């Protein structure tokens, strides 16, 4: 079953604190944060078993934001060493 990637992205971005507007079934507009606001830390991201969602939201850690990727093993289907490589590149 295919993930509703748009909903997953909107949900994850909103958890991080971004102002996001859905425009139909295939478009979203990210307005960013309220001025002076920082990304929410300690957020859990549901991957819906989609490696793209896991990889996308893991990049928040590169900005120093603590995120927990639920079911990180979903990246095994396309990039089994993704999180090892990310940790190596970012010293996480």
């Amino acid at each position: 079953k295919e993930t509703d990637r748009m909903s997953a992205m909107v949900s994850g971005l909103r958890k991080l604190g971004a102002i996001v507007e859905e425009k139909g079934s295939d478009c979203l507009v990210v307005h960013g944060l309220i001025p002076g606001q920082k990304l929410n830390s300690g957020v859990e991201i549901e991957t819906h078993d989609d490696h793209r969602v896991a990889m996308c939201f893991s990049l928040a850690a590169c900005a120093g934001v603590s995120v927990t990727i639920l079911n990180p093993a979903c990246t095994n289907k396309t990039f089994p060493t993704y999180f090892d490589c990310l940790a190596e590149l970012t010293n996480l």
Side-chain angles (χ1 to χ4, degrees):
K1 183 182 172 192
E2 196 62 23
T3 302
D4 182 353
R5 216 166 286 122
M6 186 66 64
S7 291
M9 296 303 294
V10 169
S11 173
L13 287 166
R14 286 182 176 157
K15 283 183 178 184
L16 286 169
I19 299 167
V20 182
E21 182 181 357
E22 287 185 77
K23 297 272 192 172
S25 63
D26 62 352
C27 180
L28 62 91
V29 177
V30 180
H31 295 282
L33 302 172
I34 296 171
Q37 179 184 356
K38 293 185 178 184
L39 290 172
N40 296 329
S41 200
V43 171
E44 290 187 341
I45 300 294
E46 177 57 59
T47 65
H48 305 279
D49 202 31
D50 188 320
H51 60 281
R52 297 168 203 86
V53 174
M55 292 173 172
C56 174
F57 285 104
S58 68
L59 296 176
C62 295
V65 177
S66 173
V67 294
T68 300
I69 304 297
L70 303 176
N71 187 22
C74 69
T75 62
N76 288 344
K77 49 183 117 171
T78 57
F79 195 162
T81 59
Y82 174 76
F83 285 101
D84 294 330
C85 291
L86 180 64
E88 187 177 316
L89 289 170
T90 60
N91 296 317
L92 295 175

